[in-house]
Amino acid sequence: MFENSIKAYEDAKKVIPGGVDSPVRAFKSVGGTPPFIQKGEGAYLEDIDGNRYLDFVQSWGPLIFGHCDSDIENAVLETVKKGLSFGAPTVLETELASEIVDMYDNIDKVRFVSSGTEATMSAIRLARGVTGKNDILKFEGCYHGHSDSLLVQAGSGLATFGTPSSPGVPADFTKHTIVCEYNNIESLRKCFKESNDIACIIIEPIAGNMGLVPADEEFLKECRKLCDENNTLLILDEVMSGFRASLTGAHGVIETKGDIVTFGKVIGAGMPVGAFASNDEIMSHLSPEGEIYQAGTLSGNPVAMAAGLVSLKKLKANPSIYDELSAKALKLVNGLKEVASKNNVALQVNTRGSMFGFFFAEKEPKNFKEVSQFCDFDRFAKFHHEMLKKGFYFACSQYEVGFMSTVITEEEINRCIEAADEIMKNF
Ligand SMILES: *Cc1c(COP(=O)(O)O)cnc(C)c1O
């Protein structure tokens, strides 16, 4: 049933490293051949063998309205007809920025870029420029894109200066990155004892890159407190959770506020968009107003802005969408949990708005180490593969989360739970 994809994968591997343009797409952690996709339609993906899948990946988050939403499609088509890019200001940028400013009360200004990686990289430069400090603090298991200073792994201690996690990153670049354990206040405090040169903490307030692991409220409060006491800025990376966890992302479900917030994924609705945002004072340091340099030839691309704008307007006009998405996400994970326990399979589940996660584990992991230790990765690989064969497309790693979209129906969720039941019977 995967003949064409198998052939396409072989061909791709000849001209593209590993056959993919982003490593996770290669299905390495679950094995097998990644289906090559020829189109999306509503809640479904169709591969080049004609197999159809109910899509819980949503291009890794952006497609909250599913594939080919007609409003977004029309806005894109109309904008495309007027030219693809001008390298000059357009009112679309102001409109999209205004939508974001309007929804977040800690944000006055937004700068658009073309990816989440660019957003966090620029946010960190801004934090360093504003504070005049050099070190940054990140948490093991949080992903903020692939820029050099963020590709670090933790050492053996609770809080350590990172070492590069990829060849090609000089140790000199990561020596300013402190890596700390997520949801561990002791580790956090230790960092601030070891360095008085911390420009920012960067955190996914709802981690979605080690599976779904939300930060404890207490932990986030401690981040906020330590930042306030030490002239350190708090960057809440909402590239994934923004307009996903709620209409105001993680900010809508936690009490802590970030000094700088980063966005991506949903704000581009499937087009390449990222953004970083903050209050007037902090943003005034950014070039051309201030001296901290940051730029992009395609930044604020009109077609991408048009897609994001329609998407955010639709969300804002129908805030009950989030209740529906949350209810559907809950229905799915509760159903999975039920069939798992019926079949004596240990499963931990969680949701935050339209984000959902499940771990094949006896207890709920609270940080990256626990995800690695507690979870049964073989079981996940088997589950993933069997679900794929039954037409359900889940993220191909236990370190990823799932996404609910408006176009997935209750009936489809029921079918998914039934399919999971059949698979778990044979675990
Ligand atoms: C996806 C993601 C990024 C990186 O965004 P890209 O557009 O892939 O560069 C950064 N931070 C978080 C939290 C993400 O989920």
Side-chain angles (χ1 to χ4, degrees):
M1 77 187 271
F2 297 115
E3 286 78 18
N4 292 340
S5 282
I6 289 168
K7 165 84 172 53
Y9 194 33
E10 289 311 313
D11 291 346
K13 281 194 274 195
K14 288 178 197 149
V15 287
I16 297 170
V20 292
D21 284 313
S22 198
V24 73
R25 297 180 198 169
F27 273 36
K28 258 182 128 172
S29 65
V30 289
T33 301
F36 276 53
I37 305 303
Q38 60 181 358
K39 68 172 183 184
E41 196 181 8
Y44 290 88
L45 282 174
E46 185 180 308
D47 72 13
I48 56 174
D49 288 283
N51 302 308
R52 275 163 64 82
Y53 309 98
L54 188 63
D55 184 11
F56 290 112
V57 179
Q58 316 276 321
S59 189
W60 303 96
L63 309 179
I64 200 161
F65 295 104
H67 300 275
C68 307
D69 174 81
S70 60
D71 298 320
I72 297 170
E73 204 173 78
N74 289 337
V76 166
L77 292 175
E78 261 175 45
T79 313
V80 160
K81 285 185 200 152
K82 296 181 200 156
L84 293 178
S85 178
F86 313 116
T90 63
V91 293
L92 286 168
E93 292 156 76
T94 313
E95 288 181 42
L96 186 55
S98 303
E99 290 296 335
I100 297 170
V101 167
D102 200 34
M103 283 185 252
Y104 277 75
D105 56 17
N106 51 330
I107 289 175
D108 300 319
K109 284 184 178 153
V110 182
R111 169 66 57 86
F112 291 108
V113 292
S114 299
S115 70
T117 294
E118 250 188 291
T120 57
M121 184 182 87
S122 309
I124 287 170
R125 182 178 308 142
L126 180 61
R128 283 175 160 152
V130 169
T131 59
K133 297 179 177 188
N134 294 306
D135 294 341
I136 62 174
L137 193 160
K138 86 173 281 287
F139 299 97
E140 193 180 21
C142 285
Y143 178 70
H144 309 288
H146 68 97
S147 67
D148 283 340
S149 61
L150 292 169
L151 288 187
V152 295
Q153 59 199 5
S156 53
L158 264 187
T160 51
F161 282 89
T163 52
S165 61
S166 164
V169 178
D172 276 352
F173 288 18
T174 57
K175 74 178 184 197
H176 287 295
T177 308
I178 306 172
V179 188
C180 201
E181 198 166 271
Y182 197 72
N183 278 330
N184 184 332
I185 289 180
E186 191 195 338
S187 151
L188 189 59
R189 287 186 183 144
K190 193 156 174 273
C191 292
F192 278 86
K193 285 214 182 84
E194 278 177 15
S195 168
N196 54 12
D197 197 26
I198 304 177
C200 61
I201 295 179
I202 182 165
I203 183 170
E204 284 181 81
I206 299 171
N209 287 289
M210 48 175 144
L212 184 61
V213 182
D216 297 333
E217 197 69 50
E218 282 306 296
F219 180 68
L220 288 169
K221 282 193 178 139
E222 189 68 18
C223 288
R224 183 67 272 170
K225 180 164 162 270
L226 286 166
C227 282
D228 292 341
E229 289 171 358
N230 292 280
N231 181 31
T232 296
L233 297 179
L234 181 60
I235 302 175
L236 293 192
D237 182 358
E238 292 237 54
V239 170
M240 184 187 290
S241 57
F243 305 96
R244 264 284 169 203
S246 79
L247 187 57
T248 44
H251 279 77
V253 294
I254 61 174
E255 286 167 33
T256 301
K257 294 204 186 319
D259 298 306
I260 304 176
V261 186
T262 53
F263 299 98
K265 300 190 172 123
V266 171
I267 66 160
M271 297 293 290
V273 184
F276 58 105
S278 185
N279 60 31
D280 269 328
E281 205 287 310
I282 290 174
M283 291 305 263
S284 72
H285 291 267
L286 207 58
S287 183
E289 224 181 315
E291 295 196 335
I292 300 170
Y293 191 69
Q294 188 278 328
T297 302
L298 296 177
S299 292
N301 174 271
V303 184
M305 294 291 107
L309 188 58
V310 174
S311 191
L312 294 205
K313 277 192 169 154
K314 274 166 69 117
L315 291 169
K316 206 166 108 184
N318 305 290
S320 64
I321 281 177
Y322 288 96
D323 298 332
E324 290 156 28
L325 290 171
S326 299
K328 285 195 282 187
L330 263 178
K331 180 182 166 73
L332 175 64
V333 297
N334 287 342
L336 292 177
K337 175 114 189 152
E338 210 174 290
V339 294
S341 70
K342 194 176 94 187
N343 293 300
N344 287 320
V345 172
L347 192 75
Q348 303 300 317
V349 301
N350 214 339
T351 66
R352 285 293 182 278
S354 63
M355 300 163 68
F356 67 84
F358 55 91
F359 294 111
F360 288 100
E362 299 282 350
K363 48 180 182 167
E364 188 191 347
K366 302 290 273 177
N367 59 44
F368 182 76
K369 248 188 222 102
E370 292 184 355
V371 174
S372 309
Q373 281 168 6
F374 294 177
C375 297
D376 187 332
F377 289 85
D378 292 338
R379 209 164 232 192
F380 179 86
K382 186 168 178 199
F383 178 77
H384 182 270
H385 188 67
E386 295 299 321
M387 286 303 275
L388 195 69
K389 284 203 294 195
K390 287 180 183 290
F392 298 93
Y393 193 85
F394 282 100
C396 52
S397 160
Q398 198 150 209
Y399 291 111
E400 305 289 346
V401 299
F403 299 102
M404 191 52 72
S405 74
T406 57
V407 288
I408 295 175
T409 64
E410 306 249 330
E411 190 267 325
E412 284 161 339
I413 293 169
N414 286 336
R415 277 204 290 114
C416 180
I417 295 165
E418 280 163 29
D421 188 16
E422 280 167 38
I423 290 165
M424 289 187 201
K425 268 180 198 146
N426 299 316
F427 263 11

